Amino acid sequence: MSGKTIIEMLNYDKNDKRHRFARRAIIAAASLVVFVLLWWNLSLLLANPAIPTPQKTWSALTYLFAHGDSVSGVTMWSHISISLRRFVYGLLLAMAVAVPLGLFLGYSETLREFTMPTLEILRPIAPIAWAPIFIFTTGYVWGPILVVFVGIFFPMLTNTMFGVKKIDPNWIDAAKTMGATRVQVFTKVMFPAAVPYVMNGLRVGMGIGWMCIVASELYASFGGGIGFFVSIMAQMGYWDYVFAGIAVIAVLGLLTITVSDYVHKFIVRRMGME
Amino acid sequence: MTGIKKTQAKDRLRDALGGKQRQTLSGDIKIENLRKVYRTDESETVALEDFSLEIKKGELITIVGPSGCGKTTILKLIAGLVEPTSGTVTIGGEVCEGPGPDRGMVFQDFALFPWRSVRKNVEFGLEIAGVPKEERRERAQRYIEIVGLEKFADARVHELSGGMKQRVGIARALVNRPDIILMDEPFGALDAQTRNIMQGSLLRILEKTDQTILFVTHSVDEAVYLSDRIVVLTKRPARIKEIVEIDLPRPRDRASVEFTSIRKRILEELEKENVME
Amino acid sequence: MKLNWNLKMWAVVAALIVVLAATGTVLANKEVEKQSISIVARVNNDGSGIFVRGDVNVDDLVTIDGGVVTYHPDGWRDMLFMSPGPSSIQHMILMDIVKKKVGLGFVQNGVPYTEPSVRWTQVAPGQMKDMMAKSKDDNLIHGGIAWEPHFANIVASGAKKVISSSQYWEDHPCCVVAVNKKYMDTHGEQVKRFLAAYVKSAIKVGDILETGIGDEYEGLIDLVVRVGAPKEGTLDRNAAKVAMANTTYTYELSNLSDELTKVAETYKGLGLFSDETLTDAGFDGVQDFIEYLIKDGPLSEVVVNDGSGPRAKTPAELSLSDNSYRVDVAYLAADTHQIALHYGIEKGYFQEYGIYVNLMGPYAAGGDVMGALLSEHANIGLVGSPPALLQSINALR
């Protein structure tokens, strides 16, 4: 190492991609270290069993993934897969309903004027408020799925509608002058043009949907799941398990949002509609 | 030979209606008494009044007029995207109702579909018409070559320059073999240099095809450079002020005396309209 | 050479990390008193039961001959039972029956299983009746286990009784009166007064139920219907009477230590806690810890037996001052095991002893009552002994 001193190597060059990445990584690591230390201090200071230390949470986490808990008799993987399955069902259901409906509502002003009052009444209701009703009326199996559905449905619908309204009218005119029928305008112009907005709806909806699934499982769940796991563990005072569950929820939520962000960006770029 | 033949619009109309028996070819366009009134709750705006025009197959006609006079409205009326308050557009003896693939359109802001590649944009109309995939590909390829974009056939729209985009727009309109192509200030969004190049390539492209062109522009220079005839409009409500026939040989020399004098004359006419405002 | 790093910011971050690590180390070595509870009286024994849908043949599950219950595994297999939740004694009873007596696995519904098993799902007892009615159509749920008055009420509404909890374990412990440990140490006076009034009420309720007739009895049943029904009119009056007969009301602590040891051993066998937790906290084992939990001092102070059976000492006998105190008492939703608390409030017994009972809740499950006690949200709680035991153990961790 003749030419370069350590200082030189440390010199931050913001035009270098690797430097930028390293900087971000170091800052993120420092932030996490401070967070864990704060948590540790708070846990010791409050000395409340409901706030276990990071060490306890970590060992609970590793134990749950390796051996599972005695109450449900299954590992954390099973709880995660149960919740994820519900989440995916709710998501697919929301997409299947919200996207076509959003396209129609964006397309037809009369239909929009007709449905908006009802939708505007329903929209502000927190999805979890439906949980008791859905869970009872749909026999505990579809209940949590429907809660996720409601959570994802509205952002998806409004984004799709917005997407249709934002469509360049010249695109539609262009398609018409090439002989496109109403149906063809719908399928070949409006639908693809709305896709980036649908994806944005998906991105927003997925964050909300994840909160909904956990909340509805906390309320009651016929078939377990990570939210249910947290609720029964709290009932029995396994607070380290509760925290482990919360950590899993946090990581899964982060993953879903990261994945949907990435998918959104990818599709928007792929479609050249940045 | 001044190169200018001035005919009053009314005279031409009389000729057209007055039994000058001529077989109407497909591509011959007859626009009769088009009138368009935009109504809102408070006001009525007459955008177009008493617009009649006959266009022969293969002609290139430009429409110039004071800005905001309703030039685009004329194209949209002919395209069938806007319904006339009264009057008809007849192509090859058939009255047009609503848009159709017999009238292609090229837009000022290109209106290309960004989610499709260049090739897929050009294929759009064929896809709509249900042309089989093989043939679609072949025909699109031909027109992509005509506009000189064969190297960019699989590029995405956002990767292209403005001039290239508009060549895609032209290919997309031409590939459907419409009787008439309506061009709404197609080069308006381009810089002066690209614009001149595009005008040249448009003429070259048209040599290889036989479409009738109705071309709206606010550039008199462009109109004189391209047109067989120039329709000069009055300010709103737009009426035909005069029709100027240009039979200068192509390619035209913008610096020639004839060119400049025609341009000057039309500009003066337009200026009168603007002053009166 | 100028570094492009923001050195000031990094200095602050580094300092923060050092300071937090230091304070954390100091705090970690400090002894802290852990929250706990004391059990000062029993509330009831028995008073739960397993039921199945009307269209299920009970003989396929159990046959009872002269008090001896025989379980038939084939009938139980793959059935889905409702439980008030895994922290409840009902859950423990059902789990123990399924695993030990029937000999099948006991799995949470929704979790894939390969061994022959019975499935469970958590449903609040107040909703079980509706769920049973609904399951006639969708065939999803086969039965459940619930505390009174729900067991009697569900059976009255067309379900079939499989066994009552006393047929599984006669005189099994159920609810207890638990006091926050710190409160117990600092507010002995209040605990004594509360306990005296509670014992008076419990004895009175026991007497009334023994008579089983008359205005006082009907009055008590009125209260049971009010307390036991989450919604007016949903608890059948006859079912309420059956529910009361199925439950044994008592305050005595005798034998509780042995019984709780049995509960704890069951839990340990199910893998819900390990001896390590107790020994790490300085206890010799389960027995030692349970003796630490059960405090019979206050009860022996307030109960006197002068020949005609035990009774609560009067305020005069306890030489209480005229002061009055507020006590925050956590209780369970629609649980008639705890009827003596409500009866004592209705009859003004607590006021006699200078106690104003501020009811906290109702809580849906015993685990939540324990949560209220351990977080000092409530001073005293009426709670099932299993959650009391399990949460006390978990609070040591």
Side-chain angles (χ1 to χ4, degrees):
Chain A
M1 300 288 287
S2 53
K4 277 188 181 173
T5 64
I6 287 181
I7 294 290
E8 260 178 274
M9 284 168 64
L10 280 173
N11 206 351
Y12 175 64
D13 175 9
K14 73 175 170 197
N15 295 319
D16 189 325
K17 206 174 171 183
R18 285 168 310 170
H19 280 220
R20 283 205 307 271
F21 179 78
R23 179 175 176 273
R24 278 224 304 275
I26 292 170
I27 290 179
S31 155
L32 286 178
V33 168
V34 170
F35 166 71
V36 170
L37 284 172
L38 273 175
W39 169 11
W40 185 42
N41 274 269
L42 196 69
S43 157
L44 293 168
L45 203 63
L46 296 176
N48 190 320
I51 305 175
T53 58
Q55 301 99 297
K56 267 190 200 161
T57 306
W58 176 252
S59 60
L61 206 54
T62 50
Y63 185 83
L64 286 171
F65 274 106
H67 307 284
D69 64 280
S70 305
V71 180
S72 61
V74 291
T75 63
M76 189 57 96
W77 296 114
S78 300
H79 298 298
I80 291 173
S81 78
I82 291 167
S83 288
L84 270 182
R85 202 164 52 214
R86 284 205 183 100
F87 181 78
V88 170
Y89 286 158
L91 182 73
L92 293 179
L93 199 62
M95 279 178 87
V97 180
V99 173
L101 189 63
L103 289 173
F104 279 118
L105 293 188
Y107 184 61
S108 159
E109 201 177 340
T110 316
L111 198 60
R112 188 162 65 240
E113 285 168 347
F114 177 75
T115 45
M116 277 329 267
T118 312
L119 291 174
E120 287 303 326
I121 287 171
L122 296 177
R123 198 219 308 262
I125 299 171
I128 191 62
W130 294 107
I133 296 153
F134 286 160
I135 284 168
F136 189 78
T137 51
T138 57
Y140 277 64
V141 175
W142 283 94
I145 295 175
L146 286 179
V147 174
V148 177
F149 165 78
V150 172
I152 300 180
F153 176 78
F154 283 103
M156 201 103 169
L157 181 78
T158 41
N159 272 280
T160 309
M161 263 167 59
F162 183 70
V164 175
K165 281 199 270 181
K166 288 279 276 189
I167 287 175
D168 184 345
N170 279 336
W171 288 341
I172 294 169
D173 280 354
K176 281 183 184 165
T177 59
M178 286 182 270
T181 60
R182 278 168 77 96
V183 175
Q184 282 170 324
V185 167
F186 200 81
T187 56
K188 289 193 183 281
V189 179
M190 302 183 65
F191 178 68
V195 163
Y197 296 90
V198 172
M199 292 316 295
N200 192 46
L202 186 74
R203 201 168 57 100
V204 178
M206 269 169 102
I208 299 175
W210 193 244
M211 287 178 204
C212 289
I213 190 71
V214 172
S216 68
E217 285 176 355
L218 275 173
Y219 174 79
S221 164
F222 194 68
I226 185 86
F228 181 64
F229 170 83
V230 167
S231 111
I232 59 172
M233 288 306 152
Q235 250 181 46
M236 291 191 286
Y238 292 103
W239 296 107
D240 47 350
Y241 287 5
V242 171
F243 259 59
I246 290 172
V248 169
I249 291 166
V251 171
L252 286 177
L254 192 67
L255 273 180
T256 355
I257 289 170
T258 313
V259 167
S260 55
D261 259 359
Y262 181 79
V263 170
H264 175 244
K265 263 196 202 140
F266 176 79
I267 288 189
V268 169
R269 192 170 300 158
R270 183 91 191 86
M271 295 186 66
M273 293 175 75
E274 275 159 290
Chain B
M1 181 71 190
T2 57
I4 307 174
K5 262 187 205 161
K6 194 181 115 184
T7 322
Q8 284 300 322
K10 274 179 189 167
D11 297 343
R12 281 193 61 83
L13 182 64
R14 206 183 308 122
D15 287 350
L17 297 173
K20 209 188 205 179
Q21 292 302 321
R22 187 164 62 84
Q23 201 194 339
T24 33
L25 298 160
S26 118
D28 276 6
I29 304 158
K30 202 157 144 194
I31 301 161
E32 288 170 292
N33 299 322
L34 268 193
R35 180 168 194 270
K36 179 65 189 173
V37 183
Y38 287 107
R39 286 195 180 88
T40 62
D41 289 345
E42 299 90 37
S43 63
E44 262 191 17
T45 316
V46 182
L48 188 67
E49 190 86 81
D50 192 23
F51 186 89
S52 297
L53 186 65
E54 231 184 273
I55 306 166
K56 286 193 291 292
K57 186 174 172 64
E59 248 191 314
L60 198 163
I61 293 192
T62 51
I63 300 173
V64 294
S67 50
C69 75
K71 298 187 290 276
T72 300
T73 303
I74 296 173
L75 289 195
K76 288 202 168 172
L77 282 166
I78 297 169
L81 295 170
V82 172
E83 285 217 356
T85 309
S86 63
T88 53
V89 176
T90 316
I91 297 178
E94 269 182 61
V95 176
C96 298
E97 273 169 28
D102 53 338
R103 286 147 290 151
M105 191 147 175
V106 177
F107 296 82
Q108 177 174 7
D109 62 357
F110 324 126
L112 300 178
F113 305 123
W115 57 90
R116 288 173 166 250
S117 64
V118 166
R119 188 192 304 284
K120 285 274 179 189
N121 261 285
V122 177
E123 279 183 24
F124 187 89
L126 304 175
E127 219 175 287
I128 293 289
V131 174
K133 201 172 172 177
E134 287 292 307
E135 192 191 335
R136 214 155 72 198
R137 194 127 269 232
E138 215 174 282
R139 276 171 68 179
Q141 182 63 32
R142 200 158 70 236
Y143 280 90
I144 291 168
E145 279 165 21
I146 288 176
V147 297
L149 283 176
E150 55 272 32
K151 277 185 193 154
F152 296 91
D154 293 308
R156 305 222 140 236
V157 170
H158 65 97
E159 293 162 2
L160 306 178
S161 69
M164 285 156 96
K165 280 182 190 166
Q166 198 53 295
R167 279 190 272 165
V168 178
I170 291 166
R172 187 177 68 173
L174 286 173
V175 75
N176 306 311
R177 296 193 192 127
D179 299 323
I180 173 167
I181 297 178
L182 307 159
M183 302 181 96
D184 186 8
E185 299 197 30
F187 309 141
L190 308 179
D191 61 77
Q193 207 170 350
T194 316
R195 204 182 166 114
N196 285 350
I197 295 168
M198 287 298 293
Q199 289 162 3
S201 26
L202 178 67
L203 291 177
R204 269 197 306 282
I205 291 164
L206 292 177
E207 274 171 22
K208 299 175 196 167
T209 60
D210 56 354
Q211 262 100 359
T212 311
I213 311 279
L214 199 54
F215 191 108
V216 160
T217 179
H218 63 264
S219 157
V220 175
D221 182 82
E222 185 166 80
V224 179
Y225 185 77
L226 294 173
S227 320
D228 296 319
R229 283 188 288 161
I230 299 175
V231 178
V232 183
L233 297 179
T234 63
K235 70 177 173 80
R236 191 170 271 238
R239 294 162 189 271
I240 296 178
K241 187 178 170 75
E242 74 174 293
I243 294 176
V244 183
E245 249 179 65
I246 304 169
D247 48 12
L248 293 176
R250 291 191 175 98
R252 290 172 184 164
D253 178 4
R254 290 175 207 264
S256 70
V257 180
E258 291 94 334
F259 194 100
T260 42
S261 74
I262 296 170
R263 187 176 63 191
K264 194 172 164 229
R265 228 186 51 69
I266 296 173
L267 279 170
E268 277 167 7
E269 288 298 322
L270 285 174
E271 209 137 291
K272 275 187 217 155
E273 287 299 315
N274 285 331
V275 166
M276 276 189 273
E277 261 179 72
Chain C
M1 152 142 318
K2 184 183 167 292
L3 275 172
N4 290 335
W5 295 71
N6 190 339
L7 284 178
K8 259 187 220 160
M9 194 270 270
W10 285 106
V12 170
V13 169
L16 196 62
I17 290 172
V18 170
V19 168
L20 286 173
T23 53
T25 314
V26 171
L27 286 169
N29 290 320
K30 211 181 75 184
E31 277 294 320
V32 276
E33 200 197 336
K34 295 214 159 114
Q35 286 284 357
S36 189
I37 53 144
S38 299
I39 296 171
V40 296
R42 211 192 276 255
V43 169
N44 71 302
N45 285 342
D46 304 331
S48 298
I50 300 172
F51 52 88
V52 286
R53 244 166 35 206
D55 57 313
V56 176
N57 188 2
V58 176
D59 290 342
D60 291 345
L61 303 178
V62 291
T63 39
I64 301 165
D65 186 19
V68 180
V69 185
T70 315
Y71 297 88
H72 309 299
D74 288 345
W76 290 77
R77 206 174 152 169
D78 295 325
M79 279 196 154
L80 177 53
F81 282 86
M82 297 178 285
S83 141
S87 68
S88 62
I89 177 116
Q90 289 77 19
H91 191 88
M92 193 207 83
I93 290 171
L94 184 61
M95 171 153 47
D96 208 41
I97 287 176
V98 169
K99 285 192 163 179
K100 303 248 179 73
K101 307 271 163 104
V102 183
L104 296 176
F106 192 60
V107 299
Q108 182 186 317
N109 182 51
V111 168
Y113 61 95
T114 45
E115 283 176 31
S117 296
V118 170
R119 296 170 294 147
W120 64 269
T121 187
Q122 179 176 325
V123 176
Q127 287 180 11
M128 285 183 183
K129 193 176 130 187
D130 287 346
M131 290 302 291
M132 286 299 282
K134 218 175 110 56
S135 285
K136 273 184 200 141
D137 305 325
D138 57 22
N139 194 27
L140 216 53
I141 289 166
H142 302 90
I145 182 164
W147 62 64
E148 295 291 11
H150 306 290
F151 175 52
N153 198 32
I154 290 165
V155 169
S157 72
K160 286 180 187 159
K161 171 185 161 181
V162 180
I163 54 165
S164 63
S165 57
S166 59
Q167 286 171 294
Y168 147 80
W169 175 2
E170 200 174 354
D171 290 332
H172 70 79
C174 190
C175 291
V176 292
V177 177
V179 186
N180 175 283
K181 179 84 169 40
K182 271 192 205 163
Y183 188 80
M184 179 87 175
D185 294 343
T186 54
H187 296 73
E189 172 82 11
Q190 282 91 325
V191 174
K192 194 170 74 183
R193 286 168 185 248
F194 176 88
L195 210 52
Y198 181 78
V199 168
K200 179 176 176 177
S201 182
I203 291 172
K204 181 74 186 168
V205 167
D207 288 348
I208 295 171
L209 288 174
E210 208 165 311
T211 325
I213 198 159
D215 289 348
E216 271 190 328
Y217 178 70
E218 295 301 331
L220 178 64
I221 296 300
D222 285 343
L223 181 67
V224 170
V225 169
R226 274 207 309 282
V227 168
K231 204 176 84 194
E232 207 180 325
T234 52
L235 176 56
D236 183 78
R237 197 175 172 83
N238 285 325
K241 288 179 180 174
V242 175
M244 296 311 283
N246 282 346
T247 316
T248 312
Y249 293 92
T250 172
Y251 54 87
E252 285 167 18
L253 287 171
S254 54
N255 290 332
L256 185 64
S257 169
D258 291 343
E259 289 160 11
L260 285 190
T261 305
K262 195 173 161 187
V263 171
E265 293 297 341
T266 307
Y267 274 158
K268 205 165 74 183
L270 295 167
L272 291 177
F273 76 93
S274 65
D275 277 334
E276 226 174 81
T277 310
L278 298 176
T279 49
D280 283 358
F283 295 98
D284 284 343
V286 169
Q287 188 86 35
D288 187 33
F289 179 66
I290 287 167
E291 274 160 21
Y292 160 82
L293 286 185
I294 299 173
K295 295 275 187 295
D296 57 4
L299 191 65
S300 58
E301 231 181 295
V302 299
V303 178
V304 63
N305 191 342
D306 39 17
S308 60
R311 65 171 177 84
K313 285 183 186 166
T314 61
E317 283 170 321
L318 288 166
S319 43
L320 298 177
S321 66
D322 283 345
N323 294 349
S324 70
Y325 305 94
R326 190 188 92 168
V327 183
D328 295 333
V329 181
Y331 72 112
L332 280 170
D335 185 348
T336 53
H337 294 169
Q338 310 186 344
I339 198 69
L341 172 69
H342 303 281
Y343 190 78
I345 293 169
E346 193 183 64
K347 296 295 172 193
Y349 294 165
F350 290 98
Q351 270 160 321
E352 281 174 31
Y353 289 86
I355 291 292
Y356 162 64
V357 175
N358 178 37
L359 284 181
M360 311 282 287
Y363 292 96
D368 302 329
V369 174
M370 279 305 290
L373 282 173
L374 290 173
S375 62
E376 297 183 86
H377 194 58
N379 308 130
I380 296 178
L382 273 64
V383 57
S385 46
L389 188 64
L390 198 55
Q391 283 228 21
S392 303
I393 295 172
N394 281 333
L396 298 173
R397 300 207 301 162

